[in-house]
Amino acid sequence: MSSSRHPWQWFDLMVIPVALAYWLGGLLAHATTNLNNEVAPLWVPTGIALTALLIYGEKVWLGIFLGDALLMFALGASWGLILSSAAGSTLCAWLGFKLLHWGGFSSRLSRIDDVAALILLAGIVAPGVNATLESLSALLMGSLNWQNFASHWWMVGLGDCSSILIVTPFLLRIYLDGAGLFRRYRRQRVLEVIICGGLLLGLSWMVFSRHTQVHILMEGSLSNARYLEYLPFPIVVWAAIRFQTWGAVVGSLCLALLAIAGTGQGVGPFVMPMVNESQTILLLQMFIIIVSGTALLLSAAVTERQRAERQLRTTLERDHLLAEVSLKIRQSLELEKIFQTTVTEIRQLIEADRVFIASWQDGGRIEVVAESLNGDYPSLLGSNARDDLLTALPYLFTQAQTFIADDITNFNLSPTVQKYTERYQIKAALVVPLHLDGKPLGLLVAHQCLGVRHWRKQEVKLLEQLAGQVMIAMSQAQLYQTVQQLNCNLEKQVEERTYQLQEKIREVHKLHDMKAVFLQAVSHDLRTSIMGLLMLLKNLQHRSEDSLTLSRFILDRMINSSERQLTLINALSEDHFSEERPLMIHCEQLSLSQFINELIREWQPLLQQNQANLVANISHNLPLISGDKEQLHQVFEHLVTNALKHNPPGINLGIDVTVKQGMIYCSLTDNGIGMGEQQCDQLFKLYLRSLHDRRRTGIGLGSYQCRQIIEAHGGKIGVRSTPGNGCQFWFTLPMAKSQPSAVS
């Protein structure tokens, strides 16, 4: 069963203090203003309300509403004005809080962006909403006429704005750094504060006192009186620059209070005979806003510059140390020198009392190998960690995680570790483990012995970066030792590898000689048989036609085939198919359409034998080409013969010749079985047929020779195919020039 919700659980306890503070701030603003006007120059409750929201959050909005309603009731306002004023004040503070939260506002006011957000978002936008609501409510209820609407709107808005720029920064500074006012400073600093404060109070009294005003009027310099209010302004600037936020806040507050007090008594540069009271208040409010805004911006700019200088100085020192350690690591293998330089530089940079490096020794022990010590604190150099200490702190040595202890007494330490910290007076510790590939190498440790210490992120990052350099040095030294151990066996291993390499080279030479003998023998035997067959066929060719049992066409075909085979065999035996050796061709001007028609008539018996159909599509106005007739005859015949040889009977062939991009583009298309992508890539290369492709024989010289012929002409050749969808062989040839020539 769930517990019931208390009916007052929604009510925050801070609502009542906020309401009382708002009420008292309003009474104070009315009591200290002697002007006969309903609007105070500095409406203190607005600054109190915004500060309460920034500190305690949105939950105290009810306190602002109640405080304003109570204040207006005490001042004798009607219920309509009470409700409208309470709603407008609450909305003004809530809207300013939301806008600041949206703008990423920081209550420390240490950035220019924070001050700009306070001025623009909370000091201008939010008060404008409250001024509009309050002025309209007063107009509707008859307490304000149209003639005074604009001046009343400006006074309400500027009163809230001046309070946000004066009261809110002062209260936030007390909340965040109230102890800063009572901190002990150097004598020169205190003297500067006294001089600055005395000058500010003295000049403000001179400007806003009755005596000064009467003196100016008696001298008849009324026109110059309006410029006297900025006489204390350089002192406020001095305070903002030298003392940052505290100087800007306190200086602006003092000057604003003195200006309001003098103006309320009817004296000062803002009170002039020809100016009415509303204009006096507006001039005073503008003066307060300008002074406070300028002081806050100056203090934020100086703070940002000092912060940037500190970060830059720290970065330069850290980079210098990293560069020095890295340089020593690269230049030397002396670990002791590297370690000592590292701990000395780290201790001086982070101002620690003790910095040391501990190395993980054989047997699982930790030994301090380098230390830099400040003062008379006991030294750890040369000492070994005891077994009980290693057992009590296993996570420092086995996990690659940085251990940060601002106050060592806040940790639940074992009695062994407590004795260790008391003996060596350790109050704060920063421990960075040294690990390489999961293997512990040691520790990089910084101790604070004087008292507790908060380790900043920059200090932790510096130690982690230097730990990486120390790990490199340790691994480099270990690697050097390993290299020294392996060096004695390296020459023997090199000799063994050299002897094995020489044996492999001799085997390769033997295999190369065997290959040459084999190719020579095979080509000799093939050449002998082909030459005998060729001689027989030529004898038959020279006989009379009546005595031949073969047709003249078949006999010519056999002779041409035998001659081409003899050419291939000669090329193989003479190593003509080297990628570096060019093919010699003799070009002439040819009509490609006439040349292809002659080839088609020559192929008719072969096409009929394979039941194939060949269709040629050649443009009528095709230009002449520059080519070797015999070599191109071999290319066309090889492609057509290949298509008929490796496809079933009855296929359809097509020859297309067009002009593309200044070249003659020829393609041979069939609707056969096609080829795979890998086979297409290897088709025009010099390769041996796969042993698994038993339907195809030979060593692939025909397609390779086609590529050599086309490339020797200055063209390209290729194939596009997919299994089951036929093939398309294509190649390009150059057009003939005005004068035929022989090319290589």
Side-chain angles (χ1 to χ4, degrees):
M1 181 177 180
S2 61
S3 59
S4 60
R5 181 181 178 91
H6 195 277
W8 290 94
Q9 191 173 356
W10 60 272
F11 188 80
D12 193 272
L13 294 178
M14 291 304 301
V15 169
I16 296 177
V18 169
L20 291 177
Y22 191 97
W23 177 63
L24 292 175
L27 293 179
L28 180 64
H30 274 275
T32 57
T33 302
N34 297 327
L35 297 174
N36 297 324
N37 198 295
E38 297 180 357
V39 180
L42 179 67
W43 187 240
V44 179
T46 303
I48 296 175
L50 181 59
T51 305
L53 290 176
L54 290 174
I55 295 176
Y56 303 110
E58 297 180 77
K59 55 188 178 182
V60 298
W61 68 269
L62 184 59
I64 301 172
F65 186 88
L66 294 176
D68 190 271
L70 183 63
L71 176 63
M72 297 302 295
F73 179 78
L75 296 177
S78 63
W79 285 107
L81 287 177
I82 291 175
L83 294 178
S84 62
S85 176
S89 300
T90 305
L91 180 61
C92 174
W94 178 84
L95 181 60
F97 168 74
K98 282 295 185 180
L99 291 175
L100 290 178
H101 180 72
W102 170 77
F105 175 77
S106 174
S107 299
R108 295 190 176 275
L109 295 173
S110 59
R111 301 179 305 171
I112 296 179
D113 294 343
D114 299 332
V115 177
L118 184 68
I119 296 174
L120 298 177
L121 300 179
I124 295 179
V125 177
V129 175
N130 183 35
T132 302
L133 292 177
E134 185 172 339
S135 300
L136 289 177
S137 300
L139 182 65
L140 293 176
M141 295 180 183
S143 59
L144 182 67
N145 52 35
W146 276 110
Q147 289 77 11
N148 298 327
F149 181 86
S151 62
H152 184 271
W153 187 92
W154 277 107
M155 284 189 293
V156 172
L158 295 180
D160 292 338
C161 179
S162 59
S163 178
I164 290 174
L165 297 184
I166 294 291
V167 178
T168 298
F170 179 73
L171 296 178
L172 288 176
R173 201 61 192 168
I174 292 178
Y175 173 77
L176 296 174
D177 191 24
L181 292 175
F182 307 100
R183 192 178 299 124
R184 298 186 63 179
Y185 296 97
R186 296 192 304 271
R187 183 177 301 176
Q188 295 83 352
R189 193 73 167 174
V190 175
L191 181 61
E192 186 178 3
V193 171
I194 294 174
I195 295 175
C196 182
L199 288 175
L200 179 62
L201 294 176
L203 291 175
S204 300
W205 179 82
M206 290 176 58
V207 172
F208 298 105
S209 67
R210 181 181 300 276
H211 173 75
T212 305
Q213 180 71 8
V214 173
H215 176 74
I216 294 175
L217 292 175
M218 289 178 63
E219 294 292 332
S221 303
L222 183 62
S223 60
N224 296 329
R226 69 184 65 181
Y227 304 113
L228 289 178
E229 65 268 20
Y230 292 101
L231 188 60
F233 186 73
I235 310 302
V236 178
V237 173
W238 176 18
I241 293 176
R242 294 292 296 163
F243 308 106
Q244 284 79 59
T245 309
W246 268 121
V249 168
V250 176
S252 301
L253 179 63
C254 293
L255 183 59
L257 292 179
L258 290 174
I260 292 173
T263 306
Q265 294 177 1
V267 295
F270 299 111
V271 180
M272 289 177 285
M274 70 285 298
V275 179
N276 58 34
E277 191 170 295
S278 299
Q279 292 177 340
T280 299
I281 295 177
L282 289 176
L283 291 174
L284 177 60
Q285 290 173 336
M286 292 297 297
F287 171 74
I288 294 174
I289 292 172
I290 292 173
V291 171
S292 59
T294 304
L296 290 174
L297 287 173
L298 281 174
S299 66
V302 173
T303 303
E304 279 193 350
R305 180 178 178 179
Q306 292 180 351
R307 182 168 56 249
E309 290 177 351
R310 288 195 299 268
Q311 292 177 354
L312 180 60
R313 190 182 306 111
T314 303
T315 303
L316 290 176
E317 292 176 351
R318 182 174 65 248
D319 293 343
H320 173 72
L321 179 57
L322 288 173
E324 183 176 355
V325 174
S326 301
L327 181 62
K328 290 184 179 297
I329 289 175
R330 289 192 296 267
Q331 292 180 346
S332 174
L333 292 173
E334 299 179 8
L335 282 178
E336 295 181 359
K337 184 178 180 181
I338 296 173
F339 290 162
Q340 191 59 45
T341 302
T342 302
V343 295
T344 302
E345 294 291 340
I346 291 176
R347 190 186 64 78
Q348 295 177 356
L349 183 60
I350 67 176
E351 298 179 354
D353 293 329
R354 181 190 295 115
V355 176
F356 66 90
I357 295 176
S359 176
W360 185 277
Q361 305 296 328
D362 295 336
R365 299 187 62 80
I366 292 290
E367 179 182 357
V368 178
V369 295
E371 182 187 37
S372 179
L373 195 62
N374 180 27
D376 299 328
Y377 300 108
S379 175
L380 290 168
L381 188 62
S383 62
N384 292 326
R386 302 188 305 275
D387 294 337
D388 53 356
L389 182 61
L390 294 176
T391 305
L393 297 175
Y395 50 85
L396 293 183
F397 313 123
T398 58
Q399 297 183 3
Q401 296 180 358
T402 303
F403 175 76
I404 304 174
D406 296 338
D407 187 357
I408 203 70
T409 59
N410 293 334
F411 292 82
N412 187 16
L413 304 177
S414 63
T416 303
V417 181
Q418 289 181 356
K419 293 180 180 180
Y420 173 78
T421 56
E422 292 174 359
R423 176 183 177 184
Y424 294 103
Q425 304 179 22
I426 303 173
K427 301 299 188 298
L430 179 59
V431 183
V432 180
L434 306 177
H435 282 249
L436 183 63
D437 297 332
K439 180 181 178 182
L441 298 179
L443 299 171
L444 177 59
V445 185
H447 284 165
Q448 196 71 22
C449 302
L450 182 62
V452 297
R453 172 174 179 169
H454 174 67
W455 302 101
R456 299 192 301 270
K457 292 182 179 180
Q458 295 86 348
E459 298 170 343
V460 176
K461 185 177 180 180
L462 172 63
L463 255 69
E464 291 177 346
Q465 291 177 340
L466 288 173
Q469 299 297 326
V470 173
M471 284 188 290
I472 294 175
M474 299 176 72
S475 61
Q476 182 174 294
Q478 294 179 358
L479 180 61
Y480 178 73
Q481 295 175 358
T482 304
V483 170
Q484 291 286 55
Q485 294 175 359
L486 295 177
N487 191 35
C488 59
N489 299 325
L490 183 59
E491 293 182 0
K492 184 178 179 180
Q493 294 178 359
V494 170
E495 292 178 358
E496 293 177 355
R497 298 297 183 187
T498 304
Y499 177 76
Q500 294 176 1
L501 181 60
Q502 291 175 352
E503 289 293 327
K504 294 294 184 183
I505 292 175
R506 283 193 288 267
E507 292 180 4
V508 170
H509 282 302
K510 290 181 180 179
L511 292 175
H512 181 73
D513 295 338
M514 292 175 61
K515 182 199 72 171
V517 173
F518 174 76
L519 289 177
Q520 189 66 25
V522 171
S523 61
H524 179 268
D525 294 340
L526 291 176
R527 189 188 301 112
T528 302
S529 60
I530 293 298
M531 289 179 64
L533 178 61
L534 186 59
M535 291 174 60
L536 178 61
L537 293 175
K538 287 186 176 180
N539 289 331
L540 292 176
Q541 188 181 26
H542 290 86
R543 292 184 181 180
S544 60
E545 295 183 1
D546 297 337
S547 60
L548 294 178
T549 58
L550 296 176
S551 63
R552 177 66 62 178
F553 174 77
I554 295 176
L555 181 59
D556 293 339
R557 292 280 297 177
M558 293 177 65
I559 292 174
N560 292 335
S561 177
S562 299
E563 289 179 345
R564 281 194 296 273
Q565 291 181 18
L566 184 60
T567 302
L568 291 176
I569 293 173
N570 291 332
L572 178 63
S573 62
E574 296 175 2
D575 197 21
H576 283 181
F577 292 94
S578 172
E579 290 286 351
E580 292 81 12
R581 188 166 182 175
L583 178 66
M584 303 300 295
I585 61 173
H586 299 277
C587 294
E588 58 179 320
Q589 290 186 351
L590 296 176
S591 173
L592 196 58
S593 59
Q594 181 179 355
F595 178 67
I596 293 176
N597 290 329
E598 293 177 358
L599 292 178
I600 293 175
R601 288 194 297 270
E602 183 181 342
W603 293 334
Q604 286 303 320
L606 184 61
L607 295 172
Q608 294 176 1
Q609 182 181 354
N610 289 273
Q611 301 177 6
N613 183 26
L614 175 61
V615 177
N617 184 16
I618 304 174
S619 179
H620 295 292
N621 56 350
L622 193 67
L624 299 178
I625 66 169
S626 178
D628 190 322
K629 186 174 183 180
E630 296 297 329
Q631 300 288 358
L632 294 178
H633 182 282
Q634 184 175 343
V635 172
F636 278 101
E637 185 170 0
H638 174 77
L639 295 179
V640 173
T641 305
N642 237 20
L644 297 176
K645 178 180 178 182
H646 299 295
N647 288 297
I651 66 169
N652 294 322
L653 299 174
I655 297 179
D656 297 314
V657 182
T658 58
V659 178
K660 289 185 178 180
Q661 299 178 354
M663 299 287 287
I664 303 298
Y665 184 85
C666 304
S667 65
L668 175 64
T669 308
D670 65 67
N671 60 346
I673 60 176
M675 293 183 294
E677 182 178 356
Q678 183 178 3
Q679 192 174 1
C680 290
D681 295 338
Q682 301 293 330
L683 184 63
F684 295 101
K685 297 180 181 179
L686 184 61
Y687 72 101
L688 296 176
R689 302 290 188 187
S690 173
L691 295 176
H692 302 286
D693 192 0
R694 302 191 180 274
R695 293 184 305 155
R696 300 188 177 184
T697 60
I699 57 175
L701 297 179
S703 299
Y704 175 75
Q705 192 177 24
C706 290
R707 194 195 83 182
Q708 279 196 320
I709 294 172
I710 296 300
E711 290 181 352
H713 281 79
K716 295 182 180 180
I717 190 170
V719 60
R720 289 185 287 267
S721 177
T722 55
N725 293 326
C727 299
Q728 183 186 27
F729 292 88
W730 61 270
F731 58 88
T732 59
L733 294 171
M735 291 184 292
K737 299 180 180 179
S738 58
Q739 296 295 332
S741 62
V743 300
S744 297

mmCIF file of all heavy atoms in Angstrom, residues 420-446:
data_model
loop_
_atom_site.group_PDB
_atom_site.id
_atom_site.type_symbol
_atom_site.label_atom_id
_atom_site.label_comp_id
_atom_site.label_asym_id
_atom_site.label_seq_id
_atom_site.Cartn_x
_atom_site.Cartn_y
_atom_site.Cartn_z
ATOM 1 N N TYR A 420 51.524 3.469 6.695
ATOM 2 C CA TYR A 420 52.365 3.917 5.585
ATOM 3 C C TYR A 420 52.189 5.410 5.338
ATOM 4 O O TYR A 420 53.163 6.148 5.166
ATOM 5 C CB TYR A 420 52.011 3.097 4.345
ATOM 6 C CG TYR A 420 52.680 3.548 3.078
ATOM 7 C CD1 TYR A 420 54.003 3.229 2.817
ATOM 8 C CD2 TYR A 420 51.982 4.285 2.129
ATOM 9 C CE1 TYR A 420 54.623 3.634 1.645
ATOM 10 C CE2 TYR A 420 52.583 4.701 0.956
ATOM 11 C CZ TYR A 420 53.904 4.372 0.719
ATOM 12 O OH TYR A 420 54.508 4.786 -0.440
ATOM 13 N N THR A 421 50.951 5.914 5.335
ATOM 14 C CA THR A 421 50.693 7.339 5.102
ATOM 15 C C THR A 421 51.179 8.194 6.269
ATOM 16 O O THR A 421 51.651 9.319 6.065
ATOM 17 C CB THR A 421 49.197 7.565 4.863
ATOM 18 O OG1 THR A 421 48.445 7.055 5.981
ATOM 19 C CG2 THR A 421 48.740 6.854 3.603
ATOM 20 N N GLU A 422 51.064 7.696 7.494
ATOM 21 C CA GLU A 422 51.554 8.453 8.653
ATOM 22 C C GLU A 422 53.072 8.523 8.667
ATOM 23 O O GLU A 422 53.652 9.561 9.009
ATOM 24 C CB GLU A 422 51.034 7.809 9.937
ATOM 25 C CG GLU A 422 49.523 7.938 10.123
ATOM 26 C CD GLU A 422 49.026 7.163 11.327
ATOM 27 O OE1 GLU A 422 49.881 6.514 11.997
ATOM 28 O OE2 GLU A 422 47.811 7.185 11.585
ATOM 29 N N ARG A 423 53.724 7.438 8.289
ATOM 30 C CA ARG A 423 55.190 7.418 8.312
ATOM 31 C C ARG A 423 55.769 8.418 7.314
ATOM 32 O O ARG A 423 56.728 9.125 7.623
ATOM 33 C CB ARG A 423 55.681 6.006 8.014
ATOM 34 C CG ARG A 423 57.202 5.897 7.928
ATOM 35 C CD ARG A 423 57.619 4.493 7.559
ATOM 36 N NE ARG A 423 59.065 4.396 7.398
ATOM 37 C CZ ARG A 423 59.709 3.303 6.998
ATOM 38 N NH1 ARG A 423 59.014 2.200 6.717
ATOM 39 N NH2 ARG A 423 61.023 3.305 6.881
ATOM 40 N N TYR A 424 55.175 8.476 6.123
ATOM 41 C CA TYR A 424 55.695 9.366 5.089
ATOM 42 C C TYR A 424 54.892 10.657 4.967
ATOM 43 O O TYR A 424 55.052 11.391 3.985
ATOM 44 C CB TYR A 424 55.721 8.642 3.747
ATOM 45 C CG TYR A 424 56.692 7.482 3.720
ATOM 46 C CD1 TYR A 424 56.245 6.175 3.817
ATOM 47 C CD2 TYR A 424 58.061 7.701 3.636
ATOM 48 C CE1 TYR A 424 57.138 5.102 3.806
ATOM 49 C CE2 TYR A 424 58.959 6.645 3.623
ATOM 50 C CZ TYR A 424 58.492 5.347 3.710
ATOM 51 O OH TYR A 424 59.377 4.299 3.698
ATOM 52 N N GLN A 425 54.000 10.927 5.952
ATOM 53 C CA GLN A 425 53.265 12.192 6.069
ATOM 54 C C GLN A 425 52.472 12.511 4.793
ATOM 55 O O GLN A 425 52.523 13.625 4.267
ATOM 56 C CB GLN A 425 54.234 13.336 6.391
ATOM 57 C CG GLN A 425 55.072 13.103 7.631
ATOM 58 C CD GLN A 425 56.024 14.249 7.896
ATOM 59 O OE1 GLN A 425 55.812 15.361 7.425
ATOM 60 N NE2 GLN A 425 57.077 13.995 8.673
ATOM 61 N N ILE A 426 51.749 11.553 4.294
ATOM 62 C CA ILE A 426 50.979 11.719 3.057
ATOM 63 C C ILE A 426 49.587 12.236 3.399
ATOM 64 O O ILE A 426 48.837 11.582 4.115
ATOM 65 C CB ILE A 426 50.879 10.381 2.287
ATOM 66 C CG1 ILE A 426 52.283 9.833 1.993
ATOM 67 C CG2 ILE A 426 50.096 10.570 1.001
ATOM 68 C CD1 ILE A 426 52.269 8.442 1.400
ATOM 69 N N LYS A 427 49.234 13.418 2.901
ATOM 70 C CA LYS A 427 47.899 13.998 3.106
ATOM 71 C C LYS A 427 47.024 13.887 1.857
ATOM 72 O O LYS A 427 45.809 13.780 1.946
ATOM 73 C CB LYS A 427 48.031 15.474 3.490
ATOM 74 C CG LYS A 427 48.833 15.710 4.760
ATOM 75 C CD LYS A 427 48.192 15.049 5.962
ATOM 76 C CE LYS A 427 48.898 15.456 7.252
ATOM 77 N NZ LYS A 427 50.314 15.036 7.284
ATOM 78 N N ALA A 428 47.636 13.966 0.678
ATOM 79 C CA ALA A 428 46.914 13.829 -0.599
ATOM 80 C C ALA A 428 47.829 13.093 -1.568
ATOM 81 O O ALA A 428 49.059 13.216 -1.488
ATOM 82 C CB ALA A 428 46.508 15.185 -1.166
ATOM 83 N N ALA A 429 47.230 12.320 -2.477
ATOM 84 C CA ALA A 429 48.023 11.480 -3.383
ATOM 85 C C ALA A 429 47.383 11.444 -4.757
ATOM 86 O O ALA A 429 46.154 11.507 -4.901
ATOM 87 C CB ALA A 429 48.160 10.062 -2.841
ATOM 88 N N LEU A 430 48.253 11.363 -5.757
ATOM 89 C CA LEU A 430 47.836 11.197 -7.152
ATOM 90 C C LEU A 430 48.717 10.104 -7.753
ATOM 91 O O LEU A 430 49.923 10.288 -7.878
ATOM 92 C CB LEU A 430 47.989 12.505 -7.923
ATOM 93 C CG LEU A 430 47.610 12.490 -9.408
ATOM 94 C CD1 LEU A 430 46.172 12.073 -9.600
ATOM 95 C CD2 LEU A 430 47.846 13.859 -10.034
ATOM 96 N N VAL A 431 48.116 8.974 -8.097
ATOM 97 C CA VAL A 431 48.859 7.791 -8.528
ATOM 98 C C VAL A 431 48.419 7.424 -9.944
ATOM 99 O O VAL A 431 47.224 7.224 -10.197
ATOM 100 C CB VAL A 431 48.632 6.600 -7.570
ATOM 101 C CG1 VAL A 431 49.482 5.404 -7.990
ATOM 102 C CG2 VAL A 431 48.955 6.997 -6.139
ATOM 103 N N VAL A 432 49.399 7.345 -10.854
ATOM 104 C CA VAL A 432 49.136 6.955 -12.246
ATOM 105 C C VAL A 432 49.878 5.640 -12.508
ATOM 106 O O VAL A 432 51.113 5.618 -12.485
ATOM 107 C CB VAL A 432 49.601 8.029 -13.238
ATOM 108 C CG1 VAL A 432 49.316 7.594 -14.671
ATOM 109 C CG2 VAL A 432 48.929 9.355 -12.935
ATOM 110 N N PRO A 433 49.161 4.534 -12.739
ATOM 111 C CA PRO A 433 49.841 3.256 -13.013
ATOM 112 C C PRO A 433 50.519 3.286 -14.386
ATOM 113 O O PRO A 433 50.053 3.947 -15.319
ATOM 114 C CB PRO A 433 48.707 2.224 -12.970
ATOM 115 C CG PRO A 433 47.560 2.922 -12.328
ATOM 116 C CD PRO A 433 47.715 4.371 -12.635
ATOM 117 N N LEU A 434 51.618 2.573 -14.489
ATOM 118 C CA LEU A 434 52.346 2.429 -15.748
ATOM 119 C C LEU A 434 52.124 1.009 -16.251
ATOM 120 O O LEU A 434 52.622 0.048 -15.656
ATOM 121 C CB LEU A 434 53.842 2.698 -15.539
ATOM 122 C CG LEU A 434 54.191 4.038 -14.882
ATOM 123 C CD1 LEU A 434 55.688 4.152 -14.660
ATOM 124 C CD2 LEU A 434 53.698 5.191 -15.725
ATOM 125 N N HIS A 435 51.357 0.898 -17.328
ATOM 126 C CA HIS A 435 51.019 -0.402 -17.898
ATOM 127 C C HIS A 435 51.379 -0.388 -19.371
ATOM 128 O O HIS A 435 51.238 0.630 -20.051
ATOM 129 C CB HIS A 435 49.528 -0.718 -17.733
ATOM 130 C CG HIS A 435 49.167 -1.186 -16.355
ATOM 131 N ND1 HIS A 435 48.766 -2.473 -16.075
ATOM 132 C CD2 HIS A 435 49.165 -0.529 -15.175
ATOM 133 C CE1 HIS A 435 48.526 -2.584 -14.783
ATOM 134 N NE2 HIS A 435 48.753 -1.417 -14.219
ATOM 135 N N LEU A 436 51.796 -1.526 -19.864
ATOM 136 C CA LEU A 436 52.099 -1.681 -21.278
ATOM 137 C C LEU A 436 51.605 -3.045 -21.727
ATOM 138 O O LEU A 436 52.084 -4.071 -21.243
ATOM 139 C CB LEU A 436 53.608 -1.549 -21.538
ATOM 140 C CG LEU A 436 54.041 -1.621 -23.009
ATOM 141 C CD1 LEU A 436 53.444 -0.457 -23.784
ATOM 142 C CD2 LEU A 436 55.557 -1.622 -23.137
ATOM 143 N N ASP A 437 50.602 -3.031 -22.632
ATOM 144 C CA ASP A 437 50.008 -4.273 -23.140
ATOM 145 C C ASP A 437 49.478 -5.139 -22.008
ATOM 146 O O ASP A 437 49.624 -6.371 -21.996
ATOM 147 C CB ASP A 437 51.029 -5.059 -23.969
ATOM 148 C CG ASP A 437 51.481 -4.301 -25.195
ATOM 149 O OD1 ASP A 437 50.685 -3.485 -25.684
ATOM 150 O OD2 ASP A 437 52.621 -4.519 -25.650
ATOM 151 N N GLY A 438 48.852 -4.477 -21.009
ATOM 152 C CA GLY A 438 48.276 -5.216 -19.897
ATOM 153 C C GLY A 438 49.267 -5.685 -18.856
ATOM 154 O O GLY A 438 48.878 -6.286 -17.853
ATOM 155 N N LYS A 439 50.539 -5.390 -19.040
ATOM 156 C CA LYS A 439 51.573 -5.816 -18.096
ATOM 157 C C LYS A 439 51.990 -4.618 -17.257
ATOM 158 O O LYS A 439 52.362 -3.581 -17.779
ATOM 159 C CB LYS A 439 52.776 -6.372 -18.859
ATOM 160 C CG LYS A 439 53.906 -6.829 -17.957
ATOM 161 C CD LYS A 439 55.072 -7.334 -18.783
ATOM 162 C CE LYS A 439 56.237 -7.749 -17.896
ATOM 163 N NZ LYS A 439 57.397 -8.209 -18.701
ATOM 164 N N PRO A 440 51.949 -4.723 -15.897
ATOM 165 C CA PRO A 440 52.342 -3.592 -15.054
ATOM 166 C C PRO A 440 53.835 -3.332 -15.119
ATOM 167 O O PRO A 440 54.654 -4.244 -15.014
ATOM 168 C CB PRO A 440 51.897 -4.035 -13.652
ATOM 169 C CG PRO A 440 51.876 -5.520 -13.699
ATOM 170 C CD PRO A 440 51.502 -5.895 -15.105
ATOM 171 N N LEU A 441 54.195 -2.045 -15.303
ATOM 172 C CA LEU A 441 55.595 -1.642 -15.318
ATOM 173 C C LEU A 441 55.990 -0.875 -14.070
ATOM 174 O O LEU A 441 57.160 -0.874 -13.687
ATOM 175 C CB LEU A 441 55.879 -0.770 -16.546
ATOM 176 C CG LEU A 441 55.674 -1.407 -17.916
ATOM 177 C CD1 LEU A 441 55.975 -0.407 -19.010
ATOM 178 C CD2 LEU A 441 56.543 -2.638 -18.074
ATOM 179 N N GLY A 442 55.039 -0.174 -13.428
ATOM 180 C CA GLY A 442 55.369 0.596 -12.240
ATOM 181 C C GLY A 442 54.319 1.644 -11.963
ATOM 182 O O GLY A 442 53.166 1.542 -12.391
ATOM 183 N N LEU A 443 54.719 2.704 -11.217
ATOM 184 C CA LEU A 443 53.814 3.764 -10.802
ATOM 185 C C LEU A 443 54.509 5.121 -10.938
ATOM 186 O O LEU A 443 55.723 5.236 -10.727
ATOM 187 C CB LEU A 443 53.379 3.584 -9.341
ATOM 188 C CG LEU A 443 52.628 2.308 -8.961
ATOM 189 C CD1 LEU A 443 52.487 2.233 -7.463
ATOM 190 C CD2 LEU A 443 51.269 2.259 -9.623
ATOM 191 N N LEU A 444 53.712 6.151 -11.280
ATOM 192 C CA LEU A 444 54.134 7.545 -11.230
ATOM 193 C C LEU A 444 53.254 8.224 -10.187
ATOM 194 O O LEU A 444 52.040 8.326 -10.365
ATOM 195 C CB LEU A 444 53.990 8.215 -12.594
ATOM 196 C CG LEU A 444 54.327 9.711 -12.659
ATOM 197 C CD1 LEU A 444 55.761 9.970 -12.227
ATOM 198 C CD2 LEU A 444 54.092 10.257 -14.056
ATOM 199 N N VAL A 445 53.867 8.695 -9.059
ATOM 200 C CA VAL A 445 53.106 9.112 -7.883
ATOM 201 C C VAL A 445 53.509 10.534 -7.502
ATOM 202 O O VAL A 445 54.690 10.894 -7.553
ATOM 203 C CB VAL A 445 53.354 8.162 -6.694
ATOM 204 C CG1 VAL A 445 52.461 8.534 -5.514
ATOM 205 C CG2 VAL A 445 53.102 6.713 -7.109
ATOM 206 N N ALA A 446 52.493 11.339 -7.126
ATOM 207 C CA ALA A 446 52.702 12.674 -6.562
ATOM 208 C C ALA A 446 52.028 12.728 -5.200
ATOM 209 O O ALA A 446 50.865 12.335 -5.059
ATOM 210 C CB ALA A 446 52.138 13.754 -7.485
#
